[in-house]
Each structure stands twice: as C-alpha cells, then as structure tokens.
Amino acid sequence: TSHVVVSGHCKVEDSCFVGVNATIGDSVTIAEKNLIGAGALITKNTGPSEVFTGTKATLFNKPSDRFFK
C-alpha cells in the first residue's frame, strides 16, 4: 500500500505533487507548485516551484513555471 505520512498538522498549497511514501513533518508548509519525490522526508517549509528528493529532502531543482502548466 502506498501512502504519504504526515506527522501532525501541515499545509499543502495548490498544484503540488507528492510522491508515494513521502513523509511531511509537523507544522511544515509545502508551497505552491512543488514536486516532492517518492520517499522524501520534508522537515522544513518549502519555497514555491521547487523539486525535493531524498530521505533528508534537499532541493533538487527549481524548474520554470512552464513545467507546472
């Protein structure tokens, strides 16, 4: 079974993609137009239009807005 783990309360804004088995920490905001990779661990707020990957998520890329259209 694939799922997303949310620890406490978090906010996911518009046009976000969250991969399977991703974990989002307590009080974290995922800004608009973000892509969170499968299995990523998000412990801090993200900026708009960013891509995060890894078990201690790091900024992988900041694509242009046309990627999310």
Side-chain angles (χ1 to χ4, degrees):
T1 304
S2 57
H3 60 281
V4 174
V5 176
V6 177
S7 173
H9 299 284
C10 73
K11 180 179 178 183
V12 179
E13 295 182 354
D14 294 334
S15 301
C16 291
F17 300 93
V18 180
V20 297
N21 298 327
T23 302
I24 302 172
D26 188 27
S27 301
V28 170
T29 298
I30 306 296
E32 66 180 351
K33 299 180 181 177
N34 269 246
L35 192 151
I36 308 300
L41 172 61
I42 307 296
T43 58
K44 297 179 181 177
N45 295 340
T46 66
S49 302
E50 296 177 335
V51 177
F52 289 88
T53 60
T55 53
K56 182 66 172 173
T58 54
L59 179 61
F60 176 75
N61 194 0
K62 189 163 181 156
S64 67
D65 279 342
R66 82 187 138 95
F67 175 80
F68 290 98
K69 287 187 178 179

